[in-house]
């Protein structure tokens, strides 16, 4: 990796650590959202750097749909056991059982959208006034509208037309009772930045990110991994392919990509040459042209 890349990564790292420390100084009870995906893993890594040798001064929270890749949960539990950090797990199933959320029906049913309900109720229950997330502006067009400090009203909703200026890295975390903020420390990172940083820092990742053989179904151009939560349509059939994940989420809507990449270096080469966006394989983003923005307005990550 050349000196320019190292300087660029150092600047991104410094910026993200500054934002994380700002959260610790401005908010009374922050929490860090953790999904087990590469972006939240990097954010966790940066938070540990920000407060080393002390522990991270706020807990992690995972909104568990119950439909996760088993490899993600295994990685999450091993990471927490290794680092000793505080993890809170909130379950979508509990929201369904309590009547707060209603399970989707049909062949394309997913619990991905139900995470919003569980997240908002968990933030209210814990009286958290800030939730850090690993979203990046290059992921999706609605993400590009978000600032580092994203204000949410008393209903947890986001208004893209009512955001605060962030000049000279001055962040305004003032809020009224019942409101909270979402903060995105790696907003200015790209997918390539993420992979180069993982390579430089030698960060361990879930095995899903590397090529492996998996049984999948091609549904409307998206390869979905076989699981108990997906039922085949009449014209569909399972097939084995060598694939990997570019992004990790609910198994019912997270597509995998055909790939033979078995190392970070190979993944970097693949990302450099691809013309398909990172979330191009997410079935939940294909529900409408404004799918992500609509969910974010309702309180999604």
């Amino acid at each position: 990796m050349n000196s320019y890349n190292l300087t660029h990564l150092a600047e991104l790292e410094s910026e993200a650590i500054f934002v994380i420390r700002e959260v610790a100084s401005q908010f009374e009870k922050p929490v860090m959202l953790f999904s087990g995906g590469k972006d939240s893993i990097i954010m966790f890594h940066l938070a540990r750097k920000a407060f080393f040798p002390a522990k991270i001064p706020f807990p992690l929270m995972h909104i568990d749909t119950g439909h996760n890749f088993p490899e993600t949960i295994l990685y999450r539990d091993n990471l927490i056991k290794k680092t000793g950090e505080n993890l809170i797990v909130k379950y979508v199933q509990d929201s369904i059982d309590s009547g707060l959320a209603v399970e989707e029906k049909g062949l394309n049913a997913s619990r991905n959208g139900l995470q919003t309900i569980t997240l908002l109720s968990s933030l209210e229950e814990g009286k958290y006034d800030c939730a850090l997330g690993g979203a990046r502006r290059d992921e999706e067009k609605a993400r590009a509208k978000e600032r580092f400090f994203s204000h949410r009203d008393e209903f947890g909703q986001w208004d893209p037309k009512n955001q605060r200026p962030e000049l000279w890295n001055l962040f305004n975390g003032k809020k009224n009772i019942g409101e909270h903020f979402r903060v995105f420390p790696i907003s200015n990172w790209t997918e390539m930045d993420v992979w180069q940083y993982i390579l430089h820092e030698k960060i361990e990742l879930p095995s899903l990110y590397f090529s492996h053989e998996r049984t999948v179904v091609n549904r409307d151009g998206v390869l979905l991994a076989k699981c108990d939560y997906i039922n085949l349509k009449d014209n569909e059939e399972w097939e084995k392919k060598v694939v990997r994940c570019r992004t990790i989420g609910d198994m019912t809507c997270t597509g995998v990509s055909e790939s033979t990449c078995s190392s970070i270096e190979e993944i970097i080469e693949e990302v450099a040459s691809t013309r398909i966006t990172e979330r191009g394989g997410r079935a939940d983003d294909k529900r409408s042209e404004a799918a992500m923005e609509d969910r974010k307005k309702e309180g999604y990550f």
Side-chain angles (χ1 to χ4, degrees), residues 104-295:
E104 288 187 1
K105 305 296 182 183
L107 289 172
N108 293 315
S110 172
R111 286 186 174 182
N112 195 58
L114 301 185
Q115 293 179 86
T116 299
I117 297 170
T118 306
L119 172 62
L120 292 177
S121 62
S122 298
L123 292 177
E124 183 178 4
E125 177 188 354
K127 294 181 169 48
Y128 296 108
D129 56 357
C130 174
L132 293 106
R136 308 186 325 268
R137 291 192 180 113
D138 74 321
E139 283 183 81
E140 202 273 346
K141 56 188 177 183
R143 299 281 199 204
K145 299 179 182 180
E146 196 113 52
R147 306 287 172 84
F148 279 102
F149 275 42
S150 179
H151 175 263
R152 303 299 170 105
D153 65 19
E154 63 271 27
F155 301 106
Q157 297 177 329
W158 172 66
D159 182 0
K161 297 180 180 179
N162 184 26
Q163 297 191 82
R164 300 172 183 181
E166 294 180 342
L167 304 176
W168 306 292
N169 279 349
L170 296 175
F171 302 114
N172 183 356
K174 292 184 179 179
K175 56 183 174 42
N176 296 317
I177 294 175
E179 300 174 344
H180 74 276
F181 274 79
R182 305 287 173 82
V183 174
F184 305 101
I186 62 170
S187 288
N188 285 337
W189 296 49
T190 65
E191 184 184 10
M192 179 63 79
D193 295 329
V194 166
W195 284 112
Q196 289 182 335
Y197 188 74
I198 289 169
L199 176 64
H200 181 255
E201 295 288 300
K202 299 180 174 58
I203 298 173
E204 185 180 350
L205 294 175
S207 59
L208 289 166
Y209 282 113
F210 304 97
S211 67
H212 58 283
E213 187 176 75
R214 187 176 288 269
T215 302
V216 300
V217 61
N218 188 328
R219 177 165 295 176
D220 301 323
V222 176
L223 295 179
L224 296 175
K226 186 176 183 179
C227 63
D228 295 336
Y229 326 115
I230 295 177
N231 295 313
L232 295 182
K233 299 178 182 179
D234 292 337
N235 63 336
E236 294 177 337
E237 60 181 23
W238 297 113
E239 55 184 325
K240 287 188 178 294
K241 289 184 177 292
V242 176
V243 299
R244 74 174 190 89
C245 288
R246 286 182 69 186
T247 178
I248 293 178
D250 194 294
M251 291 188 74
T252 58
C253 62
T254 301
V256 296
S257 304
E258 290 190 75
S259 174
T260 59
C261 294
S262 58
S263 69
I264 303 295
E265 291 87 351
E266 290 176 346
I267 290 174
I268 289 173
E269 290 183 13
E270 182 181 82
V271 170
S273 61
T274 188
R275 292 296 177 267
I276 300 174
T277 62
E278 182 180 1
R279 293 185 65 94
R282 289 293 291 265
D284 51 327
D285 288 350
K286 299 178 183 294
R287 293 193 173 193
S288 76
E289 280 294 317
M292 174 64 80
E293 184 162 334
D294 290 341
R295 283 177 304 184

Side-chain angles (χ1 to χ4, degrees), residues 5-17:
N5 287 338
L6 291 177
T7 301
H8 176 62
L9 293 177
E11 290 174 350
L12 289 174
E13 179 189 71
S14 178
E15 178 183 62
I17 287 175

